[in-house]
Amino acid sequence: MKVTKEGLSEREVVGKIEGLASSFGAGISFPTILSQNGQILHNHKHDEVLTNGRLLLVDAGAETQRGYCSDNTRTFPVSGTFTEKQKAVYNICLEANMKAIEEIRVGVKYRDIHFIAVKIILDGLKTLGILKGDVSEALKEGVHTLFMPHGLGHMLGLDVHDMEDYGEDFVGYNETTKRSTDFGTAYIRLARELQEGFVLTVEPGIYFIPELINKFKEKGKFMAYVNYDLLESDYLDFGGIRIEDDVVVTKNGCRVLGQGIPKSVEEIEEMMQNKAT
Ligand code: GLY
Ligand code: MN
Ligand code: MN
């Protein structure tokens, strides 16, 4: 946020972030995702020039000398000021992030929290006119997978998707929580009941993916719920938003790790408009 400005290339900002990690004797915990095309998940291309009016999604983490990883995402306007449309979508994603954090506690299935977050996103998109009809029915049909085609989060530790190389099912599932076979829900990485001491990410996102929108429309999917005309006229060049925090599950809830990265619209605009401080 401090170094972003129109005219720089995306890779110059990547260099600053990764250089900062190096200066602390740390590495990066995964190849940095930094792009004005936040709708492309795990986008490692950084060759665009930053342009006022666009959003920049930055998903980055450092790996300490002892091997522990962080994984945070913020999405902010290149100009330092959100447009009204960006602010409206951002605040829906922020509400999903904050409500999910509030719901985290021992014994709750993370899949249930995933659906609480997703419901907030669907309700919010309905207020913007992007969705219509009954939101609970839309959720059952999987309409959210058009806008958030990933799970709410994953375990974090010595690897950024901790222990998943050992087998995602061993980490995110157990005897009482089996993987769903439904489209979208099947790809949730962490679904099981939370335990004290678990460290995990909370990363809801709202993406406008032209390829997916076109594909679903062509197939006639979700016609009763999705206002494709509005998506096509107003959102195909929007990009994507993700807000990702790392938390540890405690006895009474959870604690967000780190010193706090600006997250509300006001905090982000303040940070970007007073870069010198
Ligand atoms: N950085 C990849 C992820 O957020 O899971
Ligand atoms: Mn991430
Ligand atoms: Mn993550």
Side-chain angles (χ1 to χ4, degrees):
M1 289 175 201
K2 283 185 175 168
V3 301
T4 291
K5 61 169 192 265
E6 185 173 50
L8 279 186
S9 76
E10 291 169 339
R11 58 178 169 261
E12 287 173 275
V13 184
V14 174
K16 300 274 187 199
I17 292 171
E18 298 189 356
L20 190 64
S22 290
S23 73
F24 280 90
I28 51 171
S29 48
F30 56 92
T32 300
I33 298 163
L34 184 149
S35 177
Q36 292 177 119
N37 294 300
Q39 79 283 3
I40 303 174
L41 301 185
H42 283 221
N43 184 1
H44 299 301
K45 219 161 159 240
H46 312 125
D47 52 10
E48 282 198 357
V49 174
L50 299 177
T51 310
N52 284 343
R54 299 194 64 186
L55 289 170
L56 182 64
L57 183 150
V58 180
D59 183 352
E63 180 173 324
T64 67
Q65 289 177 352
R66 294 174 67 194
Y68 283 92
C69 295
S70 64
D71 178 14
N72 289 106
T73 309
R74 288 294 184 267
T75 309
F76 47 88
V78 169
S79 70
T81 307
F82 286 85
T83 65
E84 288 306 312
K85 186 157 87 175
Q86 289 166 345
K87 201 186 293 187
V89 179
Y90 185 87
N91 279 331
I92 297 168
C93 191
L94 180 63
E95 188 187 342
N97 166 288
M98 297 201 315
K99 180 69 177 159
I101 291 172
E102 210 180 291
E103 292 290 327
I104 290 174
R105 61 179 62 88
V106 173
V108 177
K109 280 188 203 248
Y110 205 45
R111 185 159 59 202
D112 293 341
I113 302 179
H114 168 88
F115 282 112
I116 290 171
V118 155
K119 172 82 168 31
I120 289 169
I121 289 172
L122 292 182
D123 279 331
L125 294 178
K126 187 170 174 184
T127 65
L128 299 184
I130 293 170
L131 293 181
K132 53 191 174 172
D134 185 305
V135 169
S136 300
E137 286 302 312
L139 189 143
K140 273 191 218 145
E141 299 270 332
V143 173
H144 53 282
T145 58
L146 175 56
F147 304 98
M148 181 176 146
H150 62 70
L152 185 61
H154 51 85
M155 295 285 223
L156 186 68
L158 286 169
D159 204 351
V160 70
H161 290 173
D162 204 35
M163 299 183 294
E164 284 181 9
D165 284 348
Y166 174 56
E168 206 175 290
D169 280 350
F170 293 115
V171 182
Y173 294 82
N174 61 15
E175 316 69 46
T176 52
T177 311
K178 297 288 175 205
R179 191 182 286 276
S180 159
T181 52
D182 295 344
F183 174 72
T185 310
Y187 302 111
I188 291 177
R189 317 180 93 100
L190 176 60
R192 61 181 288 190
E193 302 88 351
L194 301 174
Q195 291 178 14
E196 190 179 349
F198 278 12
V199 174
L200 51 123
T201 69
V202 185
E203 50 180 305
I206 302 176
Y207 313 92
F208 296 96
I209 307 169
E211 294 78 1
L212 205 54
I213 292 168
N214 294 337
K215 187 170 165 182
F216 280 18
K217 187 184 173 196
E218 267 170 31
K219 285 186 167 175
K221 249 177 117 102
F222 308 144
M223 298 308 269
Y225 303 107
V226 178
N227 183 347
Y228 283 105
D229 288 344
L230 183 60
L231 283 178
E232 284 176 342
S233 61
D234 286 27
Y235 288 92
L236 290 185
D237 61 356
F238 185 95
I241 292 174
R242 179 164 64 255
I243 307 172
E244 178 175 26
D245 290 310
D246 302 337
V247 308
V248 57
V249 180
T250 59
K251 247 186 205 40
N252 302 315
C254 78
R255 179 164 60 83
V256 178
L257 298 175
Q259 295 173 348
I261 307 167
K263 189 158 78 161
S264 69
V265 164
E266 296 72 26
E267 286 166 348
I268 290 172
E269 291 187 343
E270 162 80 19
M271 166 68 78
M272 295 192 71
Q273 289 161 19
N274 298 293
K275 289 181 195 290
T277 59

